[in-house]
Amino acid sequence: MATPMMQVELAGHTLEYDWWGPPPGKAPTLVMLHEGLGSVGLWRDWPEALSKATGMGVLAYSRAGYGRSSSVPLPRPLDYMTREAVDVLGPLLDALSVQSAVLLGHSDGATIAAIYAGSVSDMRVRGLVLIAPHFFTEPEGLEAIRAAKTAYEDGDLKERLTRHHDHPDVAFYGWHDAWTDPGFADWNVGDAIDHWRIPALVVQGAEDAYGTLAQVREVEERAYSPVEALIVDGAGHAPQQDAPEVVTPAIAAFCGTLMALEDAPSEAQ
């Protein structure tokens, strides 16, 4: 069992986290929310690259059951993403003294960020970067998730995940079994988009096996706040890994625009 960089006690769990770049109070914070099989370590060197590209502090944490964070009982509840958004994310920002933030999520993490922005009134959160978000189930995505079980049980996926998770079975089956539960077929959190009041950048790989461009259209059709969409040709479910030369500058430009708006004097001044 490896030792995490830093830990915080929250909601009955010990959560690992790490920080790159300036602390709160010195600059806004980019808060990274990992995918369904992700963790702090699986972001690899991207948080540092994002901090350098944006000038922001970057915070990443592993949700309970992932990385070096404490475990959770299985099965996970089918509304686990909503529970993370409502019960954990806000208290985490409080505990780590985040003052101004942009939420950056990938896959499940993007959905959690989207739910938070649509259900929690938090003036600290100034924008969203959603990479491969999902708001409803699609046959293509469910097929890919079922195929992942074969890779986990018969291939090398478990071995690869064990390098990054203290509880790999909890990480994998907590994700897989929720998504493939018959009760999950009708899952839909698109109404969270209706309540956004902050700008969003949505990034989607054109070849994503876990979600189609229908997820992006859902945002474009429902959001009242400004939305930018970046479709990355040739990229799969992790366009930040497949095409960092495209995705990182786009995120830096989006965050730069947000920060310029923050710093601009109001008309009243």
Side-chain angles (χ1 to χ4, degrees), residues 124-162:
R124 294 172 296 187
V125 178
R126 304 302 191 181
L128 299 171
V129 177
L130 307 179
I131 303 171
H134 30 248
F135 301 97
F136 47 86
T137 58
E138 296 180 280
E140 300 90 339
L142 294 178
E143 182 179 349
I145 291 170
R146 293 187 184 99
K149 184 177 182 181
T150 300
Y152 188 77
E153 294 180 345
D154 300 329
D156 67 348
L157 180 57
K158 181 170 184 176
E159 179 184 351
R160 290 189 282 121
L161 291 180
T162 300

Side-chain angles (χ1 to χ4, degrees), residues 180-256:
T180 58
D181 187 292
F184 205 78
D186 296 328
W187 173 82
N188 190 310
V189 293
D191 58 351
I193 303 167
D194 300 339
H195 302 284
W196 293 354
R197 294 298 180 264
I198 52 178
L201 170 64
V202 183
V203 182
Q204 182 83 15
E207 309 302 325
D208 190 344
Y210 290 90
T212 72
L213 297 182
Q215 306 289 341
V216 179
R217 289 195 293 271
E218 186 81 355
V219 175
E220 293 176 325
E221 292 170 1
R222 299 187 73 150
Y224 288 94
S225 51
V227 171
E228 299 177 33
L230 173 63
I231 310 303
V232 185
D233 291 336
H237 188 57
Q240 73 276 14
Q241 295 177 10
D242 296 340
E245 72 283 358
V246 174
V247 175
T248 300
I251 293 172
F254 175 76
C255 291

Side-chain angles (χ1 to χ4, degrees), residues 57-68:
V58 176
L59 163 67
Y61 80 103
S62 296
R63 299 191 292 275
Y66 292 98
R68 311 306 173 197

Side-chain angles (χ1 to χ4, degrees), residues 25 33 35 69 71 86 90 105 116 157 162 214 217 221:
L33 301 161
E35 60 159 326
S69 294
S71 189
V86 174
Y116 188 82
L157 180 57
T162 300
R217 289 195 293 271
E221 292 170 1

